[in-house]
């Protein structure tokens, strides 16, 4: 059984288009998301759209969790909200409404001597 060249090209074009569309779409949150290393962690708690930032290493530095956003309309990524933790007991939290107006991404930074170093990054997500 042979398939014509035109039909093969058509099937290939459809498959390629589908792959691009589905790979570019951010994942829906609908679950909690946690990122981190031994220095700290950041968790998105979907129930209430709360972000928790925790310093987990007693090294004299803290961590900063930043929520980045990029609109579907276009433009660059920018920081929508942030929270930090370090030097105290427990974790710190901040609330931010995660909507379906673009892509969100969590990034966690270690605030060591002289600079903030990115230590973890989540997949993109939205509601």
């Amino acid at each position: 059984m042979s398939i014509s060249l035109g039909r093969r090209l058509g099937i290939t074009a459809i498959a390629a288009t589908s792959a691009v569309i589905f790979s570019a779409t951010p994942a829906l949150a609908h679950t909690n998301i946690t990122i981190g290393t031994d220095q700290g962690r950041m968790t998105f708690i979907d129930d209430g759209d709360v972000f928790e930032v925790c310093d987990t290493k007693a090294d004299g530095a803290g961590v900063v969790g930043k929520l980045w956003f990029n609109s579907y309309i276009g433009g660059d990524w920018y920081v929508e909200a942030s929270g930090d933790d370090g030097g105290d007991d427990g974790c710190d939290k901040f609330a931010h409404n995660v909507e379906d107006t673009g892509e969100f991404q969590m990034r966690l930074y270690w605030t060591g001597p002289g600079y903030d170093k990115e230590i973890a990054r989540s997949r993109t997500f939205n509601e």
Side-chain angles (χ1 to χ4, degrees):
M1 173 186 284
S2 69
I3 300 175
S4 71
L5 179 60
R7 189 169 183 169
R8 285 183 188 173
L9 290 174
I11 291 170
T12 302
I14 290 170
T17 302
S18 298
V20 169
I21 290 171
F22 290 116
S23 67
T25 304
L28 298 178
H30 301 302
T31 60
N32 297 346
I33 301 168
T34 299
I35 60 170
T37 67
D38 64 334
Q39 294 160 315
R41 72 176 181 274
M42 181 176 184
T43 300
F44 167 64
I45 303 163
D46 188 44
D47 185 16
D49 288 353
V50 175
F51 294 84
E52 181 179 65
V53 180
C54 301
D55 179 10
T56 57
K57 189 171 188 178
D59 60 0
V63 291
V64 175
K66 297 181 182 180
L67 180 62
W68 290 76
F69 178 76
N70 189 3
S71 169
Y72 288 134
I73 298 171
D76 295 327
W77 285 91
Y78 63 90
V79 177
E80 277 270 306
S82 67
D84 59 11
D85 187 49
D88 61 354
D89 288 336
C91 300
D92 291 342
K93 296 180 181 182
F94 65 93
H96 187 79
N97 188 25
V98 174
E99 302 174 306
D100 187 20
T101 57
E103 299 175 288
F104 290 88
Q105 185 178 59
M106 297 186 304
R107 298 181 192 174
L108 186 65
Y109 300 83
W110 176 70
T111 58
Y115 65 95
D116 290 353
K117 177 184 176 188
E118 184 179 318
I119 57 174
R121 182 182 289 211
S122 75
R123 62 176 169 79
T124 59
F125 61 95
N126 65 22
E127 290 282 289

